[in-house]
Amino acid sequence: MTSSLRMLNLCLGFAISCAAQSVHPVGNIFKPQATPAESVYHLSLLVMAVCAAIFLVVAGLLTFTIVRFRRRREDDGHEPAQVYGSNRIEVAWTVIPVLIVLVLTMATARVVIAIQNKRAPTGALQVTVIGHQWWWEIRYEGLRIVTANELHVPVSTASKPALTFLKLESADVAHSFWVPQLSGKTDLIPNRTNTMWIDPRQEGTFLGNCAEYCGMQHANMLLRVVVQSPEDFEKWTAAQRLDATSDSHVEAARAMFLSLSCVNCHTVSGTSASGTFGPDLSHLMSRANLGSGVIPNTSENLRAWVKDPQEIKPGNLMPNMQLNARELDEVVAYLSSLK
Ligand code: CUA
């Protein structure tokens, strides 16, 4: 193939893969649904009000000056009187900005400290989130649950507050956890543990994404926080704690899966698959998306993903396993059974 043809092919492939990706609306920061996001929202209103006032004063003075002191026909070309130095004005334009910066700094520090110093009350849900290129590992230490990309938490109400405390770590490079409607951004940094917390007040799915450039598929490192009623959350945790299904219908498919090198990177609880390099697959079908949100978890998409993940999310660390048709059928059948 000539290089121009190859280029055309690449562009076409890119266009097709772009078209195949669904839109991921980012949550509106002006509709906060948890305490940390609300504190940040209120602070941003103050900052914007101060900036708007400064803009109006500066733009107003500028407009006034341009109009009032514009060149007039009756002017005889004389320069206006030149004024040098005015202690009063210089003091004013030094002191006023210093005061404004001081107020904004204090207000920001207050919000940062209030969020950061929050202690986990007894009974708060503790979750560790580990950033990987390019997906999120989610571990509920106390509950013996490991999942990926979709963080389930209980809804917090006035009568029954439910706080989720997150420990944020990274397996490789710096990432940033950001679910705009729930909290500000917090980085996940290698060899360091950061913390944050959320108390979502509304059930539903909140979208977020990695907010720190972390390589080729940074934009496809998407995140979902599924906020559930206490009963639904209880049901979800009970289901996740079970070992992966050992359905006898997929006996042969399971044997095929376990014979392949998939097991070096993925864990399926209750089997010999115990790799930790990629997402835990024990309850894969309980997740709405594949590839950290790049495509919905449908049977066609699952098949396409297993066949060649590089086609769907180029550069991701899962290689094309070059499975033959029979292997592909069996692996997909087995994965589809992992409810
Ligand atoms: Cu992870 Cu950007």
Side-chain angles (χ1 to χ4, degrees), residues 132 134 136 174-176 210-215 218-219 221:
H132 293 255
W134 291 279
W136 308 88
H175 303 273
S176 187
C210 180
E212 176 75 44
Y213 182 70
C214 55
H218 155 71
M221 188 167 166

Side-chain angles (χ1 to χ4, degrees), residues 4-279:
S4 62
L5 255 179
R6 196 173 302 143
M7 200 63 211
L8 181 71
N9 212 15
L10 258 176
C11 292
L12 267 177
F14 182 69
I16 289 166
S17 69
C18 284
Q21 288 162 18
S22 53
V23 185
H24 308 289
V26 172
N28 186 348
I29 59 163
F30 297 108
K31 284 186 186 154
Q33 287 296 344
T35 307
E38 197 174 54
S39 310
V40 173
Y41 164 67
H42 287 147
L43 177 65
S44 69
L45 289 188
L46 172 73
V47 173
M48 282 190 292
V50 170
C51 291
I54 294 172
F55 173 78
L56 288 178
V57 169
V58 172
L61 283 174
L62 191 62
T63 311
F64 170 78
T65 311
I66 290 169
V67 174
R68 174 72 180 74
F69 299 105
R70 70 187 185 280
R71 182 173 211 167
R72 293 208 172 80
R73 194 168 305 208
E74 64 268 26
D75 285 352
D76 51 8
H78 277 134
E79 287 263 304
Q82 302 295 303
V83 180
Y84 296 100
S86 158
N87 285 344
R88 226 190 286 164
I89 292 176
E90 289 193 13
V91 167
W93 75 40
T94 307
V95 171
I96 294 172
V98 167
L99 287 179
I100 292 172
V101 170
L102 201 69
V103 166
L104 292 181
T105 307
M106 303 288 264
T108 306
R110 208 180 68 145
V111 169
V112 169
I113 290 169
I115 295 174
Q116 271 184 358
N117 288 4
K118 178 91 176 170
R119 293 280 177 81
T122 45
L125 183 62
Q126 304 271 0
V127 186
T128 302
V129 178
I130 304 162
H132 293 255
Q133 283 177 315
W134 291 279
W135 59 283
W136 308 88
E137 180 180 349
I138 299 171
R139 311 183 75 95
Y140 296 72
E141 302 297 359
L143 296 170
R144 292 184 301 106
I145 293 171
V146 181
T147 184
N149 307 325
E150 295 174 18
L151 172 67
H152 286 243
V153 300
V155 69
S156 184
T157 56
S159 60
K160 198 164 180 261
L163 276 68
T164 300
F165 275 73
L166 303 176
K167 265 196 217 167
L168 303 175
E169 297 170 358
S170 170
D172 37 47
V173 299
H175 303 273
S176 187
F177 183 101
W178 191 35
V179 184
Q181 283 184 276
L182 302 183
S183 77
K185 300 168 186 169
T186 307
D187 283 359
L188 298 84
I189 299 168
N191 302 316
R192 195 194 146 88
T193 301
N194 281 341
T195 55
M196 70 180 291
W197 59 279
I198 50 175
D199 58 344
R201 291 171 199 153
Q202 203 182 56
E203 289 174 32
T205 300
F206 293 92
L207 300 183
N209 46 290
C210 180
E212 176 75 44
Y213 182 70
C214 55
M216 187 177 178
Q217 288 292 348
H218 155 71
N220 282 326
M221 188 167 166
L222 304 165
L223 178 63
R224 292 176 160 241
V225 177
V226 182
V227 181
Q228 298 176 298
S229 67
E231 302 77 49
D232 286 351
F233 179 69
E234 203 63 36
K235 265 188 232 161
W236 180 82
T237 52
Q240 297 288 316
R241 285 165 67 114
L242 296 175
D243 271 349
T245 175
S246 49
D247 196 337
S248 54
H249 291 108
V250 289
E251 194 59 61
R254 180 169 53 239
M256 171 67 82
F257 174 81
L258 294 175
S259 74
L260 294 166
S261 50
C262 309
V263 300
N264 294 336
C265 292
H266 294 284
T267 291
V268 179
S269 55
T271 73
S272 57
S274 56
T276 53
F277 201 57

